[in-house]
């Protein structure tokens, strides 16, 4: 691929909804998600009531890129080669000595599986978006609680966590006012949802005026999608998009074939019979990228229309859109907003005013650098014996440069640029920090000289 990238060269612009087009007030939404899951575990599954209380600084545990080893109750931060950089058992940090004793200096046992497909499984769970992250803190506290009562060798809480997620997010929950999550967002949308900036709305209109086809592809169900879009964009939100796809069930949307995952039409938010093909623009449910691309060929009149997809989840958006569909990908990475320090030093801590505290519930914004986990982008690998420690990129950081065309903190960051603006893309020919716009994370600057793209 060439060294630069321009939206002007793309025929189709696809957008994820949650944390991409619709941004949330993160401390408030994180607390709601945590409470929704915790309430279910305590009331329905008999877990310890202490899970319902949350210390003000406890969201510091939430850091994108963590992997939960489900059977062992360990959370891991991985280097790009799979070495464990930091770890905790439950919420309790492991020392460098404990990490070496437990994992050695070798790649984590499931690394080849998780890294090959940026995947999740029955044995591990990858936390890579803000809908998931509060669940990491809850799982860690569940491990603490189980250890308190009976130190376990393997853990069996995951099925209950999955039940909590399904109870709160299932497709009928919005309509039925089921669980805590949807009723609360319905009743207090301003508390949780940010309004879409006027610059972004104007930019979307400019894209359409320039002849671009606009897609909205979200795993949220149609009724929740409508609430989000009306509140953040406006009642006329459907005019911004040529095709709206809800309940897309990503990443399966990209990886499944038409007969595995057909499109369905909606009537009053209820899914109807499966469609054999996608013949015209409109609002659909489920579906697959193969049939969507056939429709895009018709709409553009091109044999090979160029698609770019904007999303915030490496697992659900960026990896599958690139890997299965070969689309260009723009990674929405709010961590670029919170990258306020360079290499996190053991002895330093930020002054309180820099930690993104909110009035009221005093919870730290999750995208600011975690005291416990350090930078999302890089970390120190302690030296063996008397050797010096080295700075290395995290696996999450490697994924960004491998599967993203560019990475930006928000749509707002590029909304005022001319359509033909040429971004430097991530590629093996460019430096490891080339694809970040408007600027690379400061944490990467000390190692940029020593890291070449692999």
């Amino acid at each position: 691929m060439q060294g630069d990238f321009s939206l002007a060269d793309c025929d189709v612009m696809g957008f994820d909804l949650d944390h991409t087009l619709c941004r949330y007030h993160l401390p408030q939404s994180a607390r709601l998600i945590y409470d929704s899951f915790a309430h279910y575990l305590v009331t329905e599954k008999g877990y310890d009531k202490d899970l319902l209380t949350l210390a003000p600084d406890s969201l510091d545990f939430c850091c994108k890129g963590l992997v939960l080893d489900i059977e062992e109750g360990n959370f891991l931060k991985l280097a790009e080669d799979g070495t464990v950089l930091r770890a905790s058992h439950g919420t309790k940090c492991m020392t460098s000595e404990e990490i070496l004793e437990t994992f050695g200096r070798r790649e984590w046992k499931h690394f080849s599986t998780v890294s090959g497909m940026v995947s999740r499984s029955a044995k591990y769970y990858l936390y890579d978006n803000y809908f998931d992250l509060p669940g990491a803190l809850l799982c860690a506290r569940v491990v603490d609680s189980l250890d308190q009562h009976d130190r376990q060798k393997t853990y069996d809480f995951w099925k209950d966590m999955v039940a909590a997620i399904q109870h709160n997010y299932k497709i009928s929950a919005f309509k039925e006012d089921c669980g805590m999550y949807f009723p609360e967002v319905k009743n207090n949308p301003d508390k949780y949802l940010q309004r879409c900036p006027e610059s972004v709305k104007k930019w979307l209109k400019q894209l359409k005026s320039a002849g671009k086809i606009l897609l909205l592809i979200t795993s949220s169900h149609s009724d929740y999608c409508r609430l989000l879009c009306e509140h953040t964009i406006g009642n006329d939100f459907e005019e911004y998009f040529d095709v709206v796809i809800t309940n897309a069930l990503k990443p399966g949307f990209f990886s499944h074939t038409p007969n595995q995952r057909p499109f369905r039409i909606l009537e009053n938010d209820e899914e109807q019979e499966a469609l054999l093909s996608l013949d015209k623009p409109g609002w659909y449910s489920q579906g697959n990228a193969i049939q969507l691309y056939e429709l895009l060929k018709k709409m553009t009149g091109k044999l090979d229309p160029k698609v770019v997809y904007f999303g915030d989840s490496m697992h659900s958006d960026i990896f599958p859109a690139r890997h299965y569909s070969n689309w260009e990908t723009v990674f929405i990475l709010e961590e670029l907003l919170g990258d306020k320090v360079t290499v996190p030093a053991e002895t330093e801590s930020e002054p309180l005013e820099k930690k993104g505290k909110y009035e009221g519930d005093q919870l730290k914004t999750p995208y600011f650098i975690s005291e416990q986990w350090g930078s999302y982008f890089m970390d120190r690998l302690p030296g063996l014996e008397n050797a010096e420690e080295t700075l290395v990129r995290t696996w999450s950081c490697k994924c960004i440069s491998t599967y993203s065309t560019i990475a930006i903190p928000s749509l707002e960051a590029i909304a005022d640029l001319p359509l033909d603006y040429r971004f430097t893309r991530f590629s093996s020919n460019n430096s490891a920090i080339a694809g970040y716009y408007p600027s690379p994370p400061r944490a990467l600057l000390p190692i940029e000289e020593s890291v070449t793209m692999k």
Side-chain angles (χ1 to χ4, degrees):
M1 287 186 175
Q2 71 273 32
D4 56 16
F5 164 72
S6 173
L7 294 175
D9 298 335
C10 299
D11 306 295
V12 182
M13 314 280 175
F15 297 91
D16 176 40
L17 180 57
D18 296 283
H19 302 287
T20 299
L21 265 174
C22 168
R23 289 174 62 201
Y24 289 72
H25 297 300
L26 290 179
Q28 290 81 351
S29 64
R31 180 65 201 252
L32 173 60
I33 291 164
Y34 178 92
D35 287 346
S36 302
F37 298 162
H39 184 263
Y40 180 86
L41 290 185
V42 172
T43 58
E44 300 296 323
K45 299 293 181 180
Y47 282 75
D48 195 318
K49 287 190 176 67
D50 286 350
L51 294 174
L52 297 173
T53 58
L54 206 54
D57 61 349
S58 53
L59 281 179
D60 179 75
F61 185 85
C62 298
C63 176
K64 272 196 209 165
L66 296 183
V67 182
L68 165 62
D69 187 319
I70 291 168
E71 293 172 332
E72 297 181 3
N74 294 331
F75 287 83
L76 313 172
K77 179 184 182 183
L78 301 172
E80 60 182 301
D81 64 358
T83 307
V84 177
L85 292 169
R86 300 193 191 198
S88 72
H89 179 71
T91 63
K92 294 174 181 60
C93 280
M94 290 188 189
T95 63
S96 297
E97 293 73 27
E98 287 170 333
I99 289 171
L100 274 173
E101 193 181 315
T102 309
F103 305 104
R105 261 300 166 82
R106 57 188 183 276
E107 71 173 41
W108 175 57
K109 61 185 177 184
H110 297 304
F111 182 67
S112 59
T113 319
V114 69
S115 63
M117 302 300 285
V118 191
S119 63
R120 295 168 178 159
S121 83
K123 293 185 183 298
Y124 58 81
Y125 194 85
L126 167 63
Y127 286 94
D128 84 328
N129 67 78
Y130 291 127
F131 263 152
D132 282 342
L133 265 184
L137 173 60
L138 179 58
C139 287
R141 293 190 68 199
V142 165
V143 170
D144 292 348
S145 173
L146 293 172
D147 284 350
Q148 221 174 1
H149 298 109
D150 175 26
R151 174 72 199 201
Q152 314 205 3
K153 283 200 170 60
T154 59
Y155 295 84
D156 193 27
F157 62 84
W158 186 247
K159 64 183 187 307
D160 297 331
M161 191 66 195
V162 170
I165 294 167
Q166 289 174 341
H167 176 71
N168 278 284
Y169 289 158
K170 67 183 178 184
I171 205 165
S172 60
F174 186 94
K175 191 174 183 178
E176 295 168 1
D177 275 335
C178 171
M180 283 180 70
Y181 183 81
F182 290 128
E184 175 63 19
V185 177
K186 270 194 222 181
N187 291 330
N188 301 288
D190 278 320
K191 182 176 178 183
Y192 301 104
L193 307 175
Q194 299 185 35
R195 301 278 179 179
C196 184
E198 287 302 317
S199 62
V200 173
K201 289 158 74 168
K202 183 180 167 192
W203 176 68
L204 293 173
K205 287 177 178 169
Q206 286 172 338
L207 292 174
K208 275 200 101 167
S209 299
K212 308 301 180 187
I213 290 169
L214 268 62
L215 317 172
L216 180 60
I217 308 174
T218 174
S219 292
S220 290
H221 191 39
S222 53
D223 45 16
Y224 186 55
C225 170
R226 191 174 291 105
L227 169 81
L228 294 183
C229 289
E230 286 179 354
H231 191 80
T232 57
I233 299 172
N235 291 336
D236 61 345
F237 75 91
E238 286 185 68
E239 294 173 17
Y240 288 79
F241 305 101
D242 298 284
V243 180
V244 176
I245 300 166
T246 51
N247 196 28
L249 303 168
K250 297 176 291 182
F253 179 84
F254 296 102
S255 62
H256 284 70
T257 59
N259 61 343
Q260 288 176 301
R261 187 70 60 77
F263 281 97
R264 297 176 183 276
I265 52 173
L266 287 160
E267 285 179 18
N268 299 320
D269 294 316
E270 296 290 334
E271 293 181 349
Q272 305 301 308
E273 70 281 357
L275 299 173
L276 293 175
S277 63
L278 208 55
D279 299 320
K280 61 185 181 194
W283 189 318
Y284 300 96
S285 191
Q286 296 199 41
N288 60 88
I290 295 169
Q291 287 180 319
L292 172 62
Y293 197 66
E294 290 303 313
L295 174 64
L296 297 176
K297 287 181 188 176
K298 283 186 201 169
M299 291 174 72
T300 58
K302 294 185 176 182
L303 283 173
D304 190 21
K306 190 170 180 180
V307 185
V308 59
Y309 189 64
F310 295 76
D312 72 297
S313 168
M314 183 58 66
H315 165 76
S316 300
D317 300 319
I318 302 303
F319 170 80
R322 169 61 58 84
H323 180 78
Y324 296 107
S325 300
N326 201 30
W327 291 358
E328 300 279 11
T329 52
V330 179
F331 193 25
I332 305 293
L333 190 63
E334 292 199 32
E335 279 64 21
L336 290 172
L337 296 172
D339 189 54
K340 299 297 185 197
V341 296
T342 50
V343 184
E346 301 289 334
T347 54
E348 293 174 4
S349 67
E350 287 185 278
L352 281 178
E353 65 267 23
K354 276 195 174 179
K355 288 191 179 174
K357 296 279 183 182
Y358 273 62
E359 304 76 33
D361 50 10
Q362 290 293 295
L363 289 171
K364 198 173 91 168
T365 304
Y367 63 70
F368 275 71
I369 288 178
S370 163
E371 298 279 329
Q372 181 161 346
W373 295 105
S375 168
Y376 172 76
F377 302 97
M378 53 73 59
D379 214 333
R380 288 188 170 92
L381 189 62
L384 291 170
E385 295 174 2
N386 296 324
E388 284 187 22
E389 54 189 17
T390 50
L391 295 176
V392 295
R393 285 194 305 175
T394 60
W395 174 61
S396 300
C397 187
K398 173 80 181 297
C399 287
I400 295 168
S401 56
T402 304
Y403 302 115
S404 316
T405 304
I406 59 171
I408 60 177
S410 66
L411 295 177
E412 203 175 354
I414 62 169
D416 291 326
L417 295 174
L419 187 58
D420 59 359
Y421 182 90
R422 305 209 76 82
F423 299 91
T424 306
R425 65 162 68 238
F426 289 113
S427 81
S428 54
N429 303 323
N430 295 325
S431 83
I433 57 174
Y436 294 101
Y437 181 88
S439 57
R442 289 187 196 176
L444 280 181
L445 296 178
I447 59 168
E448 197 263 328
E449 295 304 317
S450 62
V451 174
T452 53
M453 301 278 286
K454 290 177 183 172

